[in-house]
């Protein structure tokens, strides 16, 4: 079985019985975004805190 599908099933199984579709979608979205962030960090696609601050303050 695909690892993404397995992870999604585990995540859903951990949610309470009264979960809504919106709750499930939110949890999957957050998990996806965290995974993307960790991958970016592993690949060195990150910006230092100082650089981020400069970018935000220059606008």
């Amino acid at each position: 079985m695909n690892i993404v599908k397995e992870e999604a099933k585990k995540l859903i199984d951990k949610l309470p019985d009264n979960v809504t579709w919106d709750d499930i979608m939110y949890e999957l979205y957050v998990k996806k975004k965290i995974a993307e962030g960790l991958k970016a960090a592993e690949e060195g696609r990150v910006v230092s805190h100082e650089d981020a601050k400069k970018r935000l303050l220059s606008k």
Side-chain angles (χ1 to χ4, degrees), residues 1-53:
M1 186 184 303
N2 183 325
I3 191 156
V4 173
K5 188 174 179 179
E6 288 177 27
E7 298 255 340
K9 285 182 176 185
K10 287 179 191 175
L11 184 141
I12 291 170
D13 287 340
K14 290 180 183 179
L15 295 173
D17 290 339
N18 63 341
V19 70
T20 66
W21 281 106
D22 287 338
D23 295 334
I24 294 170
M25 295 301 294
Y26 174 78
E27 294 293 331
L28 291 171
Y29 173 80
V30 169
K31 181 149 183 80
K32 179 181 179 244
K33 288 299 184 179
I34 290 171
E36 289 173 354
L38 291 172
K39 183 178 178 189
E42 288 173 3
E43 294 173 353
R45 295 184 291 120
V46 294
V47 176
S48 73
H49 178 73
E50 284 301 316
D51 286 343
K53 199 159 111 176

